[in-house]
């Protein structure tokens, strides 16, 4: 039974999680309206350009909102964008108190929403479940404060750190439960990035729902980005047959005939400067940000992951560890690239958590610095 401030904010956080994958580039927010101990309205952020969480909850509450308390996971906006300010809606509805998990780091909002509410006589309380609220919108926070996408490096490896055998076989190192979790991750990110070798070896679909032909509708699919410096992706690859959009990121200039074949296959071709003979992933990150891509899941292979680590672009690491030993000097390592010369230079993770998926273990952490 929901009957305390902690319970109401917990409910709001759960609503915010429901919005993940549907709101980008806006944050995913949840709101709950409570009157005399009863929940009278709930809501979460709708797709960009539609109603925010607060408005959805107030619509459901109707007249019951007058004199009520609202619990919301992010500071209500106070400016006109594609929708009117949520602070106005809250004030006009007669809300008496607003509990806010965290302030919005967006410079046009940060603290101003609280100030607008206070000046209108609405009491506010800020900071309840702030860490959880921040984790839900970690990608939005990175993007709105740095104008760079939040980049997640994900890979599955054996106990001895291999992502494929010496014959390049990698299906399946992770188990079914882990793979299902990855599909849920794909659903909430804006883009999936892989290297051309992953396409050549595994021929993945890179959809948010699993097997080929069952990728769901186009609207729900993240952008598929193939980093292919020499244009080696086969035009018959499965990625070109799935719902959603595919982008080939290559080194400029690309051969005109290759470029036309990719275009005819339905892909967009993005020509970028080279770095050490390969696509400059820093430039790729910058271009993705310009396109409003807030969150990116980099799925491999080792060379591409190495490029992102070498360029200090990775924010979060997700590693699935399977209880197998592959061995072999020719087996592929999880992360390639140049690496570091000394242990002190290694990429350290903080806020590390461990979770089990059957006999697989997921280690999750955030890159420091």
């Amino acid at each position: 039974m929901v009957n305390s401030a902690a319970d109401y904010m917990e409910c709001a956080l759960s609503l915010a999680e429901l919005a993940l994958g549907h709101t980008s580039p806006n944050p995913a927010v949840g709101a709950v309206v409570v009157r005399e101990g009863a929940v009278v309205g709930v809501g979460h952020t709708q797709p960009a350009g539609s109603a925010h969480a607060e408005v959805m909850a107030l619509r459901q509450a109707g007249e019951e909102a007058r004199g009520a308390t609202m619990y919301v996971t992010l500071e209500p906006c106070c400016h006109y964008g594609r929708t009117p300010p949520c602070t106005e809606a809250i004030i006009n509805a007669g809300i008496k108190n607003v509990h806010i998990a965290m302030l919005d780091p967006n410079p046009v909002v940060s603290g101003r929403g609280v100030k607008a509410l206070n000046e209108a006589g609405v009491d506010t309380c800020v900071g309840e479940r702030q860490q959880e609220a921040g984790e839900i919108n970690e990608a939005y926070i990175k993007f709105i404060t740095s104008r760079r996408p939040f980049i997640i490096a994900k890979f599955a490896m054996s106990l001895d750190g291999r992502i494929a055998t010496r014959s390049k076989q990698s299906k399946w190192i992770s188990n079914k439960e882990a793979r299902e979790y990855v599909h849920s991750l794909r659903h909430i990110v804006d883009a999936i990035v892989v290297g051309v070798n992953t396409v050549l070896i595994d021929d993945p679909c890179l959809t948010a729902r699993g097997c080929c032909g069952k990728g769901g509708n186009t609207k729900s699919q993240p952008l598929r980005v193939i980093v292919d410096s020499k244009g080696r992706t086969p035009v018959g690859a499965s990625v070109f047959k799935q719902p959603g959009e595919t982008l080939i990121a290559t080194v400029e200039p690309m051969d005109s005939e290759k470029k036309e074949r990719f275009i005819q296959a339905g892909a967009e071709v993005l020509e970028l400067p080279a770095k050490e003979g390969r696509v400059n992933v820093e430039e790729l990150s910058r271009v993705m940000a310009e396109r409003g891509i807030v969150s990116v899941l980099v799925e491999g292979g080792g060379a591409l992951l190495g490029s992102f680590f070498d360029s200090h672009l990775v924010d979060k690491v997700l590693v699935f560890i399977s209880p197998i030993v592959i061995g072999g000097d020719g087996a592929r390592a999880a992360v390639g690239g140049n690496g570091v010369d000394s242990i002190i230079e290694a990429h350290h993770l903080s806020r590390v958590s461990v979770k089990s998926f059957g006999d697989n273990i997921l280690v999750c952490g955030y890159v420091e610095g």
Side-chain angles (χ1 to χ4, degrees), residues 60-105:
Q60 189 176 95
E63 287 301 315
E64 293 294 308
R66 195 157 298 280
T69 298
M70 174 178 282
Y71 294 81
V72 62
T73 58
L74 188 69
E75 180 182 12
C77 64
C78 54
H79 64 288
Y80 282 88
R82 284 182 282 188
T83 59
C86 288
T87 50
E88 284 189 8
I90 293 169
I91 294 165
N92 293 337
I95 291 288
K96 184 179 179 181
N97 302 288
V98 180
H99 291 243
I100 302 166
M102 65 174 291
L103 296 179
D104 189 337

Side-chain angles (χ1 to χ4, degrees), residues 325-369:
V325 176
I326 292 175
D329 292 335
R332 292 176 177 262
V335 179
N338 296 324
V340 298
D341 292 321
S342 63
I343 296 298
I344 197 171
E345 296 176 284
H347 301 274
H348 289 263
L349 303 184
S350 61
R351 289 184 283 156
V352 175
S353 62
V354 179
K355 185 176 181 179
S356 296
F357 289 85
D359 64 356
N360 281 201
I361 295 171
L362 170 62
V363 178
C364 171
Y366 295 82
V367 179
E368 293 182 346

Side-chain angles (χ1 to χ4, degrees), residues 6 9-14 16-17 20 28-30 72-74 100-102 127-139 141 316 351 366:
M9 188 59 81
E10 176 69 29
C11 181
L13 290 166
S14 297
E17 289 180 334
L20 284 170
V29 181
V72 62
T73 58
L74 188 69
I100 302 166
M102 65 174 291
E128 299 172 27
R129 308 293 293 274
Q130 179 173 321
Q131 181 174 331
E132 294 95 323
E135 289 174 358
I136 290 171
N137 279 308
E138 58 192 9
I141 293 168
K316 187 176 184 177
R351 289 184 283 156
Y366 295 82

Side-chain angles (χ1 to χ4, degrees), residues 237-251:
S238 295
V239 290
F240 298 123
K241 303 170 186 177
Q242 307 307 312
E245 300 177 355
T246 300
L247 184 148
I248 304 292
T250 190
V251 169

